[in-house]
């Protein structure tokens, strides 16, 4: 798996014409045509009888082979007469001929080499958060920069002579209703209809009876292993699931290849969302800027030079899909249209080349644009497919051509500076909402060298920069890949052109027993709640309507559900994946994000119109699906399967914790928006009273993974199902008032013991997300030493590539790691509470504690927090009640057990002379705040 790119672009023998042209432009103002040649199709070029160029089949026949490239009067046999001896019309003709021959195909080809790099560039200035390198990417997937606007992502390698912009469109998927599968199931079977993994209505009764038989077997046997034949009755149909595929590329080739360049540098400025590549050739400074604009649905590349007439490039567009492929060109705008072979879905792209400079010449055909001798060239490109989420369930193919043309039309009429500013304003509106300083903000070491130094334990204090960078990089990736109107973020296999992958491969889709959810853990607390909207929209537009069919057909109940894997075609039914196909409690886990969106935003209308409807539907499913345990006392799920671990039982810790949280959240939502269905409210309340909460301690002191007590104390499984109540939930921290079960303290002790037994997540493929989850769990449990150990192991084993990305695993582990780092510094376990540096005395790195700050952290009810510390002591905490009146409990870890007298702890209301209302409970300051107020807690040294 991974990016399979074609060989480097080729260099044509006809490039000698380009050499002649470049020399022509070096002659001087008096020898250059002073008129811009507008886009002109090759077929429109006038035919002349007189020409100083003669062609043979194998290339140009040079009249003077000995002529030097730098000869001012004759270059490779092309006579460059002055304006006094040659009229402008004839010189225009010569330039047209040069372009014409550059556009002609040639069978004789050589591989194009990148130039030799000379000198060492300095670190970028005026940017704190960036990835930067002194060499172009050799392997774009592992070294290139990712830019995106939600629906489209681009990998930019920063090559010099041939830059290849590798394109990905989130809905470029095989599979779906019109798919032709290469899986073991043939789609040519009569009567096949894609149903998102669900059975046909005619098979529903049989499927529901199979489910009841399985439940009866569980009642009798208590445990059913995966190898038992009856398990197959629960597995589903993967036909038509599909997989994401790479889209294509835009190539930008220098007409005359540079042999050597000086001071090369490429950088990704996270705060701006802009890639910048710079280098110098013979004293001319070249700059290439790249960004993808969400407001304008366009991606942009701008090429500039410090000396006029220095830019001569060839631009081409390439599709990775050749079914019904056609290329077009209208007025210097390259276009393509093709269909995916597996499902005939339309894909399209538009690339406009906008050159600037009074003396340049531009010419094109359907495959490429030549721009010669310009001061600046800007590329605008947009890609899309015929897929739209609102066309469920048939997903009729809609040609994206008009939409793409409209986006490019709008872009080329704007001034570049306005476009750039519009993009940066949009990006910074999200990115600048959160800052984290772990003691080192100065970075002078290229990212690849810094990563190598970290691996070799030689990074020193700059390692703290990398750790804070991982947080901000995760936030950047969310902004680039998850915007309103797009699909949820994933990052897995989207660049792959590997035809060896199975067409119907659920493991390449959205995995909803950890991956998809972990991808969004970082969002709310760091001010990126807007990036969660695609997840909510995905649930509303695809999972709920298809998931209602799953609930009805497979379970015979109300509401909606979805199993472990889904795709852009709304797959909600079970798959046949051996160890992870069964997980209908995914609906409850996903609904936690809807409830969190309300908590962090306090948006009543979102809850009323969106969040509550999702939660109610999921709650209805479980009200109709729960069964009584053997003692007929509590409600359990059946069948229940602990993700990726098994076996089947009645009730797993994860199922029970999720449903307990869902029911509580739904009742809390009802208190806000109201509910006319009193029967639903009554059933929800009474069922919750008798629902097993999924928090049990076993006979060896472990936090049980199943309702039955058969955990293996030597188990080091990667998935941490029984710890959901620690994070991302918070159930374990709640007082167990009136409960007949174990106390909170006993549960926390059992959780720590069991998490110790689970190890650090290096088993089963050594993936990143198990380490990230462990790091955040240990942070929640107050053990900085073990949290940082998991973080260290992630850096060692899972930051594999210089660009800090791993498209094989996806974005979940990386974004989960960012969450863990934040949680090690500041937490909000529940509304009205924030914990600042509570892990300071439990093993956090000393370099973090010397001096640092966090700014813009959000509590679970939307308050905005800023904290500053020095010498391992919190010096100030600023709290703004942004959204509501509230009592806020601020727990400051460095006051714990401290003898800091009250007179050294000061509380102010910023901008007001009124005294602050607060109380102190040892390490906790309790504030009573009005909406809009900002309280400042200052602690003297």
């Amino acid at each position: 798996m991974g990016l399979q790119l074609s060989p480097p672009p080729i260099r044509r023998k006809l490039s000698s014409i380009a050499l002649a042209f470049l020399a022509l432009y070096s002659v001087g103002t008096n020898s250059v045509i002073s008129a811009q040649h507008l886009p002109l199709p090759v077929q429109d070029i006038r035919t002349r009888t007189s020409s100083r160029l003669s062609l043979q089949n194998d290339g140009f026949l040079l009249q003077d082979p000995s002529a030097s490239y730098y000869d001012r009067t004759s270059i490779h046999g092309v006579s460059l007469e002055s304006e006094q001896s040659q009229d402008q019309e004839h010189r225009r003709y010569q330039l047209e001929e040069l372009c014409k021959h550059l556009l002609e195909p040639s069978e004789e080809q050589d591989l194009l080499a990148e130039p030799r790099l000379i000198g060492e560039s300095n670190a970028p200035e005026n940017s704190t958060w960036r990835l930067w390198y002194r060499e172009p990417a050799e392997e774009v997937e592992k070294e290139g920069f990712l830019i995106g606007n939600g629906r489209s992502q681009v990998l930019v390698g920063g090559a010099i002579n041939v830059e290849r912009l590798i394109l990905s469109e989130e809905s470029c998927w095989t599979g779906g209703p019109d798919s032709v599968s290469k899986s073991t199931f043939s789609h040519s079977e009569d009567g096949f209809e894609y149903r998102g993994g669900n059975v046909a209505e005619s098979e529903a009764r049989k499927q529901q009876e199979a489910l009841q038989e399985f439940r009866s077997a569980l009642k009798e046997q208590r445990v059913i292993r995966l190898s038992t034949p009856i398990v197959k009755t629960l597995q589903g149909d993967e036909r038509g699931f599909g997989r994401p595929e790479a889209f294509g590329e835009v190539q930008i080739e220098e007409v005359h290849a540079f042999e050597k360049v000086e001071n090369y540098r490429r950088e990704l400025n996270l705060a701006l969302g802009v890639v910048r590549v710079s280098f110098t050739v013979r004293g001319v400074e070249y700059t290439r800027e790249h960004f993808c604009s969400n407001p304008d649905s366009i991606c942009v590349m701008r090429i500039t030079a410090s000396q006029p007439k220095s830019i001569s490039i060839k631009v081409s567009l390439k599709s990775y899909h050749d079914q019904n492929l056609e290329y077009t060109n209208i007025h210097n705008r390259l276009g393509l249209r093709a269909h995916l072979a597996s499902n005939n879905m339309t894909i399209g792209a538009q690339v406009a080349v906008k050159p600037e400079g009074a003396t340049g010449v531009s010419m094109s055909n359907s495959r490429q644009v030549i721009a010669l001798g310009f001061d600046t060239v800007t590329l605008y490109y947009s890609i899309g497919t015929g897929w739209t989420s609102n066309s469920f369930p048939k997903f009729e193919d809609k040609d994206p051509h008009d939409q793409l043309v409209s986006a490019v039309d709008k872009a080329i009429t704007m001034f570049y500076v306005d476009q750039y500013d519009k993009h940066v304003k949009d990006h910074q509106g999200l990115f600048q909402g959160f800052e984290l300083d772990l003691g080192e903000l100065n970075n002078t070491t290229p990212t690849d060298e810094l990563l190598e130094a970290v691996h070799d334990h030689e990074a020193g204090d700059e390692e703290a920069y990398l750790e804070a960078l991982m947080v901000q990089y995760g936030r950047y990736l969310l902004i680039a890949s998850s915007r309103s109107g797009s699909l949820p973020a994933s990052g897995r296999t989207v660049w792959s052109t590997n035809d060896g992958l199975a067409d119907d491969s659920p493991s390449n889709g959205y995995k909803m027993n950890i991956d998809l959810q972990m991808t969004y853990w970082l969002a709310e607390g760091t001010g990126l709640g807007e990036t969660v909207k695609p997840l909510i929209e995905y649930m509303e537009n695809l999972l709920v309507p298809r998931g209602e069919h799953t609930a009805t057909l497979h379970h015979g109940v109300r509401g909606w559900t979805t199993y472990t894997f889904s795709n852009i075609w709304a797959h909600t039914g079970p798959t046949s994946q051996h160890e992870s196909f069964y997980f209908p409690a995914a609906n409850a886990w996903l609904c936690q994000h809807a409830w969190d969106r309300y908590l962090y935003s306090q948006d009543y209308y979102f809850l009323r119109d969106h969040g509550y409807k999702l939660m109610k539907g999921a709650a209805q499913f479980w009200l109709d699906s729960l069964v009584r345990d053997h003692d007929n006392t509590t409600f359990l799920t059946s069948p229940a399967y602990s993700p990726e671990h098994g076996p089947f039982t009645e009730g797993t810790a994860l199922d029970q914790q999720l449903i307990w949280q869902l029911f509580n959240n739904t009742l809390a939502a009802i208190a806000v928006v109201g509910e006319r269905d009193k029967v639903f409210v009554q059933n929800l309340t009474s069922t919750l009273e008798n629902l097993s909460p999924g928090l049990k301690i076993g006979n060896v002191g472990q936090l049980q993974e199943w309702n039955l007590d058969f955990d293996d104390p030597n188990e080091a499984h990667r998935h941490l199902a029984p710890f959901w109540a620690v994070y991302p939930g918070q159930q374990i921290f709640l007082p167990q008032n009136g409960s007949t079960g174990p106390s909170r303290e006993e549960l926390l002790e059992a959780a720590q013991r069991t998490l110790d037994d689970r190890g650090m997540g290096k088993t089963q493929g050594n993936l990143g997300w198990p380490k990230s989850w462990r790091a955040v769990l240990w942070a929640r449990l107050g053990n900085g030493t073990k949290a940082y150990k998991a973080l260290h192991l992630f850096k060692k084993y899972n930051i594999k590539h210089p660009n800090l990305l791993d498209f094989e695993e996806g974005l979940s582990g990386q974004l989960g790691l960012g969450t863990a780092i934040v949680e090690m510094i500041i937490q909000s376990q529940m509304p009205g509470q924030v914990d600042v540096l509570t892990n300071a005395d439990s093993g956090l790195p000393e370099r973090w504690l010397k001096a640092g700050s966090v700014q813009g952290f959000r509590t679970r009810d939307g308050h905005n927090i800023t904290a500053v510390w020095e010498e391992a002591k919190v010096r100030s905490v600023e709290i703004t009640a942004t959204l509501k009146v509230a009592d806020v409990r601020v727990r400051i870890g460095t006051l714990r057990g401290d003898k800091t007298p009250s007179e050294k702890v000061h509380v102010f209301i910023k901008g007001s002379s009124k005294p602050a209302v607060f109380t102190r409970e040892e390490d906790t300051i309790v504030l009573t705040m009005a909406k809009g107020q900002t309280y400042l807690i200052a602690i003297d040294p």
Side-chain angles (χ1 to χ4, degrees):
M1 197 179 298
L3 187 62
Q4 306 291 322
L5 298 179
S6 57
I10 53 91
R11 185 68 174 169
R12 294 186 174 90
K13 187 174 181 179
L14 292 176
S15 62
S16 56
I17 295 296
L19 300 180
F21 171 77
L22 292 174
L24 174 67
Y25 269 83
S26 70
V27 175
T29 304
N30 293 331
S31 299
V32 179
I33 293 176
S34 56
Q36 181 175 359
H37 183 69
L38 296 176
L40 179 65
V42 168
Q43 60 266 28
D44 293 339
I45 296 178
R46 293 166 295 174
T47 303
R48 296 282 187 137
T49 57
S50 61
S51 174
R52 293 185 181 273
L53 297 176
S54 299
L55 264 179
Q56 290 184 338
N57 292 334
D58 60 347
F60 289 110
L61 177 64
L62 303 179
Q63 295 180 347
D64 182 8
S66 64
S68 166
Y69 170 69
Y70 294 103
D71 189 333
R72 299 289 187 177
T73 59
S74 179
I75 288 83
H76 289 286
V78 181
S79 178
L80 304 176
E81 303 173 12
S82 67
E83 286 187 66
Q84 287 79 7
S85 62
Q86 181 179 11
D87 60 33
Q88 284 202 6
E89 182 180 1
H90 189 65
R91 184 171 291 277
R92 178 187 179 97
Y93 163 69
Q94 285 186 314
L95 295 177
E96 289 174 351
E97 286 293 290
L98 294 176
C99 283
K100 179 179 179 180
H101 291 306
L102 284 170
L103 290 169
E104 288 181 352
S106 171
E107 295 182 0
E108 190 170 344
Q109 302 172 347
D110 299 314
L111 292 176
L112 178 64
E114 282 293 289
R116 184 162 51 94
L117 302 181
I118 299 174
E120 195 169 88
S121 62
N122 296 324
E125 298 178 356
N126 303 319
S127 65
T128 300
W129 304 114
R130 71 281 179 107
L131 281 69
W132 73 282
Y133 310 84
R134 291 191 173 114
E135 295 180 348
E138 292 186 5
E139 297 181 80
V140 179
E141 184 186 18
K142 298 178 180 180
E143 301 172 54
F145 296 130
L146 185 149
I147 57 175
N149 58 16
R151 289 204 64 162
S152 303
Q153 282 83 45
V154 183
L155 282 178
V156 181
I160 300 168
N161 285 334
V162 180
E163 174 66 285
R164 307 173 69 198
L165 307 179
I166 312 300
L167 310 176
S168 172
E169 210 281 348
E170 61 178 3
S171 60
C172 189
W173 267 72
T174 65
D178 299 314
S179 61
V180 179
S181 175
K182 296 178 184 177
S183 67
T184 54
F185 298 94
S186 170
H187 278 213
S188 62
E189 294 176 15
D190 293 338
F192 172 81
E193 178 183 352
Y194 180 77
R195 306 182 186 89
N198 294 328
V199 297
E201 288 189 22
S202 60
E203 298 292 318
R205 180 180 293 276
K206 179 180 177 181
Q207 186 64 38
Q208 293 165 24
E209 290 174 351
L211 178 62
Q212 292 303 323
E213 290 175 5
F214 200 100
R215 285 173 174 163
S216 298
L218 272 179
K219 283 287 185 186
E220 179 180 345
Q221 302 174 30
R222 307 298 296 276
V223 175
I224 293 179
R225 304 288 176 183
L226 272 176
S227 57
T228 309
I230 196 174
V231 169
K232 291 187 178 297
T233 64
L234 299 183
Q235 291 181 322
D237 187 353
E238 295 179 0
R239 290 179 297 172
F241 190 95
R243 61 178 173 88
E245 290 203 339
F247 187 96
E249 63 185 74
V250 178
Q251 286 186 30
I252 302 91
E253 181 179 354
E254 290 288 339
V255 170
H256 169 53
F258 298 124
E259 295 181 359
K260 59 183 179 180
V261 303
E262 298 177 273
N263 302 325
Y264 176 91
R265 185 179 70 212
R266 61 186 176 100
E267 61 181 291
L268 167 58
N269 187 317
L270 303 182
L272 300 179
V274 175
V275 167
R276 192 171 190 268
V277 180
S278 60
F279 54 88
T280 302
V281 180
R282 299 193 194 99
V284 180
E285 297 177 4
Y286 292 85
T287 301
R288 301 170 179 177
E289 286 184 331
H290 305 258
F291 62 87
C292 289
S293 169
N294 176 263
D296 292 326
S297 300
I298 199 79
C299 295
V300 182
M301 176 186 184
R302 185 171 177 85
I303 307 171
T304 59
S306 62
Q307 180 176 310
K309 300 176 289 188
S310 297
I311 299 172
S312 298
I313 60 171
K314 178 164 55 179
V315 179
S316 58
L317 178 61
K318 176 182 178 181
S319 171
Y320 292 159
H321 307 276
D322 56 9
Q323 179 163 305
N324 302 324
L325 174 61
E326 58 178 354
Y327 291 98
T328 61
N329 186 332
I330 302 175
H331 302 306
N332 263 19
R333 181 181 301 174
L334 300 173
L336 72 79
R337 180 190 283 110
H339 295 91
L340 300 187
S342 73
N343 56 18
N344 210 39
M345 182 169 68
T346 305
I347 65 171
Q350 291 285 311
V351 181
V353 181
K354 184 179 179 180
E356 300 172 34
T359 60
V361 174
S362 178
M363 192 177 291
S364 59
N365 60 20
S366 63
R367 294 299 306 274
Q368 53 197 348
V369 174
I370 306 293
L372 304 176
F374 286 97
D375 305 341
T376 298
V377 178
T378 307
L379 277 62
Y380 302 94
Y381 54 104
S382 185
I383 62 176
T385 75
W387 180 92
T388 56
S389 63
N390 57 16
S391 64
F392 172 87
K394 293 185 178 180
F395 297 102
E396 294 92 349
D397 185 41
K398 298 180 181 179
D399 193 330
H401 175 78
D402 290 346
Q403 183 178 351
L404 301 178
V405 168
S406 177
V408 174
D409 281 346
K410 179 182 176 183
I412 61 177
T413 62
M414 297 177 64
F415 290 111
Y416 175 77
V417 65
D418 294 336
Q419 225 160 26
Y420 179 93
D421 290 346
K422 187 177 181 182
H423 158 70
V424 169
K425 181 179 180 181
D426 170 72
H427 180 84
Q428 289 189 332
L430 295 171
F431 187 86
Q432 287 188 329
F434 177 85
E435 284 290 342
L436 178 63
D437 175 4
L438 296 179
E440 183 58 65
L441 294 180
N442 295 318
N443 165 238
T444 59
T445 306
T447 307
D448 52 343
E449 296 177 19
L450 176 58
L451 183 59
E452 185 177 351
V454 168
H455 288 163
D456 294 339
H457 308 288
E458 297 174 352
D461 288 344
E462 272 200 296
E463 187 162 359
Y465 173 83
L466 177 67
E467 289 155 348
L469 179 70
M470 293 300 293
V471 177
Q472 296 291 28
Y473 193 30
R475 297 179 69 246
Y476 166 85
L477 292 171
L478 272 179
I479 297 170
S481 56
S482 187
R483 302 296 298 272
S484 183
S486 75
L487 284 161
S490 170
R492 182 184 290 109
T493 74
V494 295
W495 309 103
S496 177
T497 57
N498 183 358
D499 292 333
L501 295 177
D503 269 7
D504 298 327
S505 181
S507 61
N508 292 324
Y510 293 114
K511 188 176 182 181
M512 297 178 292
N513 66 12
I514 179 60
D515 281 24
L516 179 58
Q517 294 90 333
M518 182 182 282
T519 298
Y520 285 95
W521 285 358
L522 186 62
E524 297 286 5
T526 65
L528 294 182
E530 288 294 309
T531 66
V532 182
K533 287 184 178 179
L535 178 60
I536 304 300
E537 293 163 353
Y538 180 69
M539 294 165 65
E540 290 181 315
N541 296 334
L542 298 176
L543 296 186
V544 169
R546 182 86 79 188
E548 289 174 345
H549 298 168
T550 305
T552 300
L553 298 171
H554 285 250
H555 296 262
V557 300
R558 301 171 299 165
W560 72 276
T561 194
T562 181
Y563 283 64
T564 309
F565 298 100
S566 194
N567 55 11
I568 72 168
W569 312 112
H571 188 106
T572 56
T575 65
S576 58
Q577 300 290 295
H578 182 60
E579 293 184 344
S580 52
F581 73 91
Y582 194 85
F583 186 55
N587 65 351
W589 195 338
L590 290 168
C591 282
Q592 183 64 39
H593 290 274
W595 178 241
D596 283 345
R597 182 81 286 269
Y598 165 71
L599 288 178
Y600 281 93
S601 69
Q602 295 295 302
D603 186 339
Y604 168 83
Y605 296 102
F606 164 79
L607 183 62
R608 185 192 68 182
D609 299 336
H610 303 280
Y612 176 64
K613 293 177 181 179
L614 294 169
M615 294 158 62
K616 181 179 179 180
Q620 284 176 322
F621 174 85
W622 287 111
L623 286 175
D624 292 355
S625 299
L626 294 169
V627 302
R628 293 279 188 174
D629 68 359
H630 264 65
D631 299 326
N632 203 35
T633 56
T634 59
F635 285 110
L636 300 172
T637 58
S638 180
Y641 185 86
S642 196
E644 306 179 17
H645 199 185
F648 284 96
T649 64
E650 288 185 329
T652 64
L654 181 57
D655 280 4
Q656 301 302 136
Q657 291 170 17
L658 287 169
I659 297 166
W660 184 93
Q661 192 72 61
L662 171 67
F663 284 6
N664 275 281
N665 293 346
T666 305
L667 287 172
I670 289 171
V672 177
V673 302
E675 172 58 71
R676 294 182 179 180
D677 187 345
K678 303 305 178 185
V679 174
F680 169 70
V681 177
Q682 182 178 354
N683 289 342
L684 188 63
T685 304
S686 60
T687 303
L688 179 60
E689 291 174 352
N690 295 286
L691 178 70
S692 170
L695 290 173
K696 300 178 71 174
I697 299 176
N699 58 11
V700 293
Q702 86 281 12
L703 192 65
Q704 291 183 202
E705 186 167 352
W706 298 270
N707 189 59
L708 298 175
D709 186 0
F710 57 80
D711 297 83
D712 180 354
N714 298 315
E715 179 61 76
H717 196 273
R718 67 188 184 191
H719 203 286
L720 299 171
F723 298 92
W724 191 91
V726 180
Y727 192 92
Q730 69 280 343
Q731 177 187 356
I732 201 169
F733 299 101
L734 300 174
Q736 308 296 313
N737 296 332
S739 171
T740 58
S743 67
R744 176 173 58 183
E745 290 71 23
E746 291 170 332
L747 288 170
L748 289 171
E749 182 181 349
Q752 293 183 62
R753 174 173 182 167
T754 311
L755 192 56
D756 250 339
D757 292 340
R758 285 292 177 100
M760 283 294 167
K762 291 173 59 179
T763 60
Q764 298 162 303
N766 206 10
L767 297 171
W769 64 260
K771 302 179 188 69
S772 297
W773 199 353
R774 282 160 170 81
V776 73
L777 287 170
W778 280 121
R780 275 289 172 97
L781 294 171
N783 192 317
T785 299
K786 292 179 180 178
Y788 191 78
K789 181 179 180 181
L791 164 61
H792 171 75
L793 290 173
F794 186 101
K795 290 186 296 182
K796 181 178 180 180
Y797 292 106
N798 300 104
I799 303 181
K800 302 175 182 178
H801 309 308
N803 63 3
L804 313 183
L805 295 172
D806 183 355
F807 292 123
E808 205 166 309
E809 182 176 345
L811 301 179
S812 58
Q814 185 168 34
L815 290 157
L817 183 73
T819 307
I821 294 170
V822 173
E823 289 279 327
M824 292 160 74
I825 297 295
I826 188 168
Q827 305 175 6
S828 180
Q829 296 177 3
M830 56 196 70
Q833 177 180 318
V834 61
D835 297 349
V836 182
L837 230 58
T838 51
N839 283 301
D841 60 352
S842 64
L844 292 185
E846 291 183 6
R847 59 178 176 271
W848 288 13
L849 300 176
K850 289 178 183 178
S853 63
V854 60
Q855 180 179 341
F857 178 78
R858 271 64 166 183
T859 67
R860 292 183 70 84
D861 44 359
H863 303 312
N864 194 308
I865 310 295
T866 294
V868 178
W869 60 90
E870 294 176 355
E871 301 300 334
K873 297 287 185 181
V874 174
R875 292 304 175 207
S876 67
V877 181
E878 190 174 289
I879 310 99
T880 301
T882 309
L883 304 174
K884 60 184 288 188
V885 175
D887 289 338
V888 182
R889 298 179 62 84
V890 183
R891 189 158 68 105
I892 300 173
T894 58
L895 290 180
R896 185 188 306 136
D898 190 53
K899 303 301 181 182
T900 303
S902 295
E903 59 265 23
K904 287 195 173 186
V905 179
H906 313 282
V907 182
F908 309 96
I909 303 176
K910 293 188 72 174
S912 173
S913 59
K914 295 181 180 180
V917 179
F918 75 98
T919 58
R920 179 182 175 187
E921 301 172 1
E922 190 185 1
D923 62 351
T924 302
I925 309 296
V926 184
L927 307 172
T928 301
M929 302 183 65
K931 181 179 178 180
Q933 281 187 333
T934 297
Y935 274 55
L936 176 64
I937 303 171
I939 305 171
D940 295 339

